[in-house]
Amino acid sequence: MTMPTMVSILDRAHARQGVDASTTLRDTVRLAQEAELLGYHRFWLAEHHGVPGILGSAPTVLAAAVAEATAVIRVGTGGVMLPGHRPMVVAEQFGVLDALFPGRIDMGVGRSLGFTPTVRKALGQQDADFEQFGRQLGELLGWLTGTQSGYPGVAAYPSPGQGVQPFVLALDQAAGIASAAGLPLVIGAGRDRAKLADTVVQYRDAFQPSPWRPEPHVILAASVAIADTPQAAERMLHSEAWSIAHSRTGGAFLPLMPAERIASLLMTSRQRDYFQQALQGFITGADEQVAEQLSQAVTDTGADEILVTTNTHDLAERANSYQRLARLAALTPRPPQPAAGRQP
């Protein structure tokens, strides 16, 4: 099996029907602790605003809780969306994280806007065009390195310096921004593989070494579920597929429902189409099937690392899937260590 030596996890802190916010967020922290023991390389948190089915509205805050509860796994964002933030504030947030947890903090940034026009207005978001994103990223990197010249006499404190590792979540033109800045690139697997491969080639060819990376690095993000049978694995992700379908037709991404409830839903033809489209973008199956699909995805894109997410209502099934993936990727389990917040 062709698998990168680094496999990481992205968690969106999905709300689950019948589960309160406190429990959901603490479940995310517990998942990070489990991921560390299993040998996963990174644990990232996503950013979403005004979405009833996702509680990851403050990824840097949640990253602090995760880093405090773990010891060595890298912790970061996948990612902070720059159109809704001032670059100096982002730099200072990561400066605080780096000061508390030196050498462990990743800063993934992207250019996505809020889910609806009203959410975007509430966030005061700027346009997410490539030129604006490039300027924001350049300003952010300047705050990190102390080379920001647009605001004489002003610096970000605490200064994160080069201890924080920046990443760009992007495709197409934004991938060019990543290569020009000398930053790792994160791309989603649920897209046209030929287009992804072309994007990666262009990114690698245009890559300029930077203080953060001497050479290009590509992370492939994918929704993955592993179970005893292909049917059971796909059923795990029915929760997310239905929330996606509802968001496309009802305007709201709902908390994840149990799979058995979704099986009894009477979907409209439009909802059923979106539901099936969502499932087609996932990587699911028994162990060997998922190994083959991930290997093919890595071969197609030339990825150096895999970033997986498994969104389901049943946390026992999710834990089992991550355990199976760790074995497939031959990750080296870590012995329990004192968490950062429990140092002797």
Side-chain angles (χ1 to χ4, degrees):
M1 181 175 69
T2 305
M3 286 270 284
T5 56
M6 288 185 287
V7 182
S8 303
I9 290 176
L10 169 68
D11 190 75
R12 296 190 177 94
H14 271 287
R16 304 191 311 282
Q17 198 172 73
V19 180
D20 62 28
S22 176
T23 300
T24 297
L25 293 172
R26 292 180 190 281
D27 284 337
T28 286
V29 175
R30 281 189 284 269
L31 175 61
Q33 293 172 318
E34 294 166 9
E36 179 170 76
L37 293 176
L38 288 170
Y40 283 94
H41 185 58
R42 313 178 198 276
F43 191 90
W44 281 6
L45 296 313
E47 177 183 13
H48 296 274
H49 297 280
V51 180
I54 300 178
L55 302 178
S57 55
T60 53
V61 175
L62 193 49
V66 166
E68 177 103 354
T70 54
V72 296
I73 193 170
R74 294 194 66 87
V75 178
T77 57
V80 168
M81 298 302 150
L82 287 184
H85 302 275
R86 291 298 304 166
M88 180 183 179
V89 174
V90 176
E92 290 183 329
Q93 289 174 345
F94 280 90
V96 170
L97 286 171
D98 183 59
L100 290 170
F101 312 104
R104 294 179 57 202
I105 301 302
D106 295 333
M107 183 184 69
V109 297
R111 54 177 286 273
S112 293
L113 292 172
F115 187 66
T116 66
T118 306
V119 170
R120 294 194 286 274
K121 182 179 179 181
L123 292 171
Q125 286 183 328
Q126 306 174 47
D127 292 337
D129 62 84
F130 294 112
E131 183 178 344
Q132 176 66 19
F133 177 65
R135 287 197 299 269
Q136 288 181 303
L137 179 62
E139 182 179 332
L140 174 57
L141 297 179
W143 288 120
L144 294 184
T145 58
T147 59
Q148 174 53 241
S149 59
Y151 305 91
V154 181
Y157 297 106
S159 175
Q162 293 166 14
V164 172
Q165 171 65 70
F167 296 74
V168 174
L169 286 66
L171 274 178
D172 303 324
Q173 294 180 53
I177 293 172
S179 60
L183 300 182
L185 177 69
V186 185
I187 55 176
R191 300 174 184 267
D192 185 319
R193 291 281 172 79
K195 183 177 181 180
L196 282 182
D198 289 343
T199 298
V200 170
V201 168
Q202 294 169 21
Y203 161 76
R204 291 189 185 280
D205 288 347
F207 187 86
Q208 298 296 313
S210 73
W212 291 283
R213 282 280 172 176
E215 56 190 25
H217 185 84
V218 176
I219 300 178
L220 183 68
S223 289
V224 177
I226 310 174
D228 289 335
T229 67
Q231 295 77 15
E234 182 182 281
R235 183 175 172 274
M236 284 174 58
L237 298 188
H238 280 186
S239 301
E240 183 177 14
W242 166 244
S243 292
I244 292 172
H246 189 276
S247 72
R248 299 287 188 267
T249 57
F253 190 102
L254 299 175
L256 300 177
M257 293 171 54
E260 56 270 19
R261 288 203 58 196
I262 295 168
S264 65
L265 291 175
L266 294 176
M267 298 185 195
T268 66
S269 59
R270 189 159 168 256
Q271 288 172 333
R272 177 62 62 180
D273 287 344
Y274 280 119
F275 182 76
Q276 293 299 333
Q277 287 174 22
L279 289 176
Q280 289 170 11
F282 301 151
I283 293 176
T284 65
D287 299 67
E288 287 147 6
Q289 293 167 313
V290 168
E292 183 178 346
Q293 292 178 69
L294 286 175
S295 294
Q296 189 61 55
V298 169
T299 299
D300 291 345
T301 60
D304 303 294
E305 183 176 345
I306 295 175
L307 179 68
V308 300
T309 184
T310 303
N311 301 313
T312 184
H313 187 275
D314 191 314
L315 297 193
E317 291 182 344
R318 182 181 71 174
N320 179 61
S321 181
Y322 281 132
Q323 290 163 9
R324 287 172 181 259
L325 180 59
R327 290 195 295 269
L328 284 176
L331 301 185
T332 303
R334 297 184 180 98
Q337 300 183 46
R342 299 194 301 274
Q343 293 295 340

